[in-house]
Amino acid sequence: MRRLAGFVVRWPLAVIGIWVALAVALPLAVPSLNEMAQRNPLSMLPGDAPSNIAARQMEEAFQEPGTDDLLLVVLTDEDGLGPEHEATYRKLVDALRDDQANVVMLQEFIGTPALRSTLTSKDNKSWVLPVGLAGALGTPQSYRSFEQVSDLIEQTTAGGPLEVHLAGPAATVADLTVAGENDRLPIEIAIAVLVLLVLLIVYRNPVTMLLPLAGIGMSLLIAQSSVAGLSELTGLGVSNQAMILLSAIIFGAGTDYAVFLISRYHDFVRKGEDSTDAVRAALGSVGKVITASAATVGLTFLAISFAEMGIFSTVGVSSAVGVFVAYLAAMTLLPALLTLVGPRGWIAPRKELTSRLWRRSGTRIVRRPWTHLVGSLLVLLLLAGLSGFATFNYDDRKSVADSEPSSLGYAALEKHFDINQSIPSYVLIHSDKDLRNPAALADLEQLAERITQLPDIQMVTGITRPLGSVPPEFRATYQAGIVGTRLADGAKMISDGSKDLNRL
């Protein structure tokens, strides 16, 4: 630390020049973080996740693309559906079928009349049109497909008699994406304002307040470019959450390290050291504290990168890079700025206002350590106990405001349909033997029957119960009735022919 402090104090302009050059060159040399988010979309689940494996097997077995990127087009008319509505429906189906770049799956009753009863509400006031979109759910490709398909739907149904709403996972994630993009700038502005306010309260000096912000600004530019370059080299996925958290980490860590260094610098100045010696002494004494803090936080974020959930792994790597860049700025750039500005008296320490309070607090704690220990533990236990009242929620819909388009779409859907009928869970069954025989069908039906007995299961559809219940023709009693009827017909035929036989 002493050698580093001596180098920075001796060559402050060179250190600042290197940081300025990096802040200018890196953004020009590598694509932006937003562009890398488009190139390397985030994969929410690893490829060996059971649901991903099942989806690939379904696609291979049925020769039909399986996708969790599902958009539900809800078409309603509270006065009832008629021929004029079906003309609009047919026009929309044709338009979606033509969009092969964005639509990979379409369930409609024009080409498959048997689906009419399933896709039509019982009150005959609504149709639901499931559309599978290109791209994995939550990726930039998925969002682009959603935008283009939603525009196509709006243009095709404009002026028609049907009221159109969009629901399903694709619509929900699209609303969350828009909300995240809209929130990024206000969040970053709010963070900057809060940091300014804290620094102003602590130092009560505009110049002292702006020095950390200069280092934070350069750190943010360099960290974003570093993460973008890492994404380009390694294919690291980039999420909107990672970009927001990176900004927060840079501001938080940069402010923290700056407060450490500047406060220690002020302590040495108050002891009579000149500005240059105070910078050297401050960095030499507090540098190891900043290093330990940055190493702890950085390693914690790197550990998060081992998570299988894509959003956590990308957040871990990008945040660790942000901590490392903020640490380098605190150890080199900020001391160089202090070396240049300090001798001019622009960052001289203000009068201490709270030193007496902390001194009294320390004296009380030393005199009665057990009392303060027990009191603090009680407060911590009380706060920790509140975690028992936490209710964890895995429903993305609850993260979307009721006024958002997808929420309105779900409301329209739930008014006329059971929503899980449109967004079901799948059970994939495969065997080395041909399943098209009575024994296999009986096993499948028994499995379906057992699943319906589980709690919170409303309906099971399958090859033995296409519409959610076993057709009467499939039941043994129905088959026995047919056999009995035909036996009776045969007996009657013999009885009617007995007279002719006797006459012969």
Side-chain angles (χ1 to χ4, degrees):
M1 291 300 164
R2 284 193 298 269
R3 291 178 179 176
L4 176 63
F7 175 81
V8 172
V9 169
R10 179 175 296 181
W11 307 102
L13 290 176
V15 172
I16 295 173
I18 292 173
W19 277 92
V20 172
L22 288 174
V24 173
L26 280 179
L28 297 176
V30 299
S32 68
L33 205 53
N34 286 327
E35 184 178 346
M36 294 314 302
Q38 301 289 329
R39 290 189 192 177
N40 298 324
L42 175 67
S43 177
M44 293 296 293
L45 292 175
D48 59 353
S51 58
N52 284 343
I53 294 174
R56 289 195 297 269
Q57 290 177 346
M58 290 171 64
E59 184 173 351
E60 293 171 2
F62 296 97
Q63 299 299 313
E64 182 177 288
T67 176
D68 59 351
D69 195 4
L70 184 64
L71 174 66
L72 300 178
V73 184
V74 187
L75 308 165
T76 61
D77 189 334
E78 296 302 326
D79 295 329
L81 301 173
E84 68 279 9
H85 302 90
E86 190 162 330
T88 302
Y89 180 89
R90 187 183 297 271
K91 179 181 177 183
L92 177 59
V93 167
D94 292 340
L96 291 173
R97 285 209 176 278
D98 292 338
D99 188 5
Q100 298 182 3
N102 299 303
V103 177
V104 298
M105 184 273 295
L106 188 63
Q107 294 181 359
E108 42 81 23
F109 58 76
I110 299 300
T112 312
L115 291 176
R116 179 183 286 269
S117 60
T118 303
L119 302 178
T120 305
S121 63
K122 294 180 180 178
D123 57 9
N124 196 40
K125 294 181 179 180
S126 180
W127 288 317
V128 62
L129 183 60
V131 182
L133 301 182
L137 187 64
T139 62
Q141 181 188 5
S142 167
Y143 183 63
R144 287 195 301 271
S145 297
F146 171 82
E147 284 190 313
Q148 295 177 17
V149 169
S150 59
D151 289 342
L152 176 63
I153 293 171
E154 183 179 358
Q155 296 171 6
T156 305
T157 60
L162 289 167
E163 183 180 350
V164 182
H165 294 283
L166 302 181
T172 301
V173 172
D175 283 346
L176 289 174
T177 302
V178 172
E181 292 177 351
N182 293 337
D183 288 344
R184 274 187 61 192
L185 183 60
I187 288 174
E188 292 176 352
I189 293 175
I191 291 172
V193 171
L194 289 174
V195 168
L196 277 172
L197 185 61
V198 168
L199 293 174
L200 187 60
I201 292 173
V202 171
Y203 296 119
R204 305 184 306 282
N205 185 329
V207 178
T208 310
M209 175 187 69
L210 291 175
L211 283 183
L213 288 182
I216 290 171
M218 287 193 185
S219 299
L220 185 58
L221 286 174
I222 293 173
Q224 288 178 339
S225 299
S226 300
V227 173
L230 186 63
S231 176
E232 186 173 31
L233 290 175
T234 65
L236 174 72
V238 179
S239 65
N240 191 55
Q241 292 86 347
M243 290 187 282
I244 293 176
L245 190 57
L246 177 61
S247 301
I249 291 295
I250 293 290
F251 273 96
T255 304
D256 190 29
Y257 304 153
V259 169
F260 279 155
L261 185 62
I262 294 175
S263 297
R264 188 57 58 91
Y265 166 80
H266 282 168
D267 288 341
F268 284 107
V269 170
R270 288 189 180 97
K271 291 179 181 179
E273 300 275 357
D274 65 29
S275 179
T276 302
D277 291 338
V279 172
R280 186 183 292 107
L283 184 57
S285 63
V286 82
K288 55 182 176 291
V289 177
I290 298 176
T291 302
S293 175
T296 303
V297 178
L299 289 175
T300 302
F301 280 122
L302 282 179
I304 296 176
S305 67
F306 290 99
E308 292 187 357
M309 286 286 290
I311 186 172
F312 294 133
S313 61
T314 59
V315 163
V317 173
S318 62
S319 298
V321 171
V323 170
F324 180 68
V325 174
Y327 164 73
L328 290 180
M331 299 298 291
T332 57
L333 178 60
L334 184 58
L337 293 173
L338 292 175
T339 301
L340 292 180
V341 177
R344 293 170 172 78
W346 294 349
I347 55 173
R350 301 298 192 204
K351 181 181 178 181
E352 284 281 4
L353 299 179
T354 60
S355 58
R356 182 179 299 177
L357 170 65
W358 299 121
R359 196 159 46 243
R360 289 179 178 176
S361 177
T363 302
R364 285 194 299 268
I365 292 172
V366 170
R367 288 177 178 174
R368 298 183 180 85
W370 286 105
T371 302
H372 288 82
L373 176 61
V374 172
S376 61
L377 288 176
L378 288 175
V379 173
L380 291 174
L381 288 174
L382 177 63
L383 294 174
L386 297 177
S387 62
F389 298 98
T391 301
F392 296 100
N393 168 42
Y394 301 96
D395 185 0
D396 288 336
R397 289 177 54 194
K398 294 182 179 179
S399 302
V400 180
D402 294 339
S403 58
E404 294 297 325
S406 63
S407 297
L408 298 176
Y410 278 115
L413 187 65
E414 291 171 340
K415 186 177 180 180
H416 300 283
F417 290 92
D418 172 24
I419 190 170
N420 285 336
Q421 183 176 343
S422 302
I423 313 177
S425 296
Y426 293 95
V427 178
L428 178 64
I429 301 170
H430 55 86
S431 171
D432 295 334
K433 299 179 180 179
D434 194 332
L435 294 174
R436 295 170 295 181
N437 60 75
L441 293 176
D443 289 340
L444 292 174
E445 172 51 32
Q446 186 175 9
L447 175 61
E449 180 63 27
R450 293 296 298 275
I451 293 176
T452 60
Q453 297 170 9
L454 295 174
D456 300 324
I457 299 297
Q458 183 170 354
M459 183 175 64
V460 177
T461 61
I463 192 170
T464 61
R465 42 177 69 198
L467 300 179
S469 61
V470 180
E473 294 82 359
F474 287 10
R475 298 187 180 276
T477 53
Y478 184 88
Q479 298 293 333
I482 293 178
V483 173
T485 300
R486 292 186 178 178
L487 286 175
D489 292 342
K492 184 176 183 303
M493 184 181 299
I494 293 174
S495 177
D496 292 342
S498 60
K499 295 178 181 179
D500 296 335
L501 183 61
N502 291 333
R503 187 163 57 249
L504 178 62

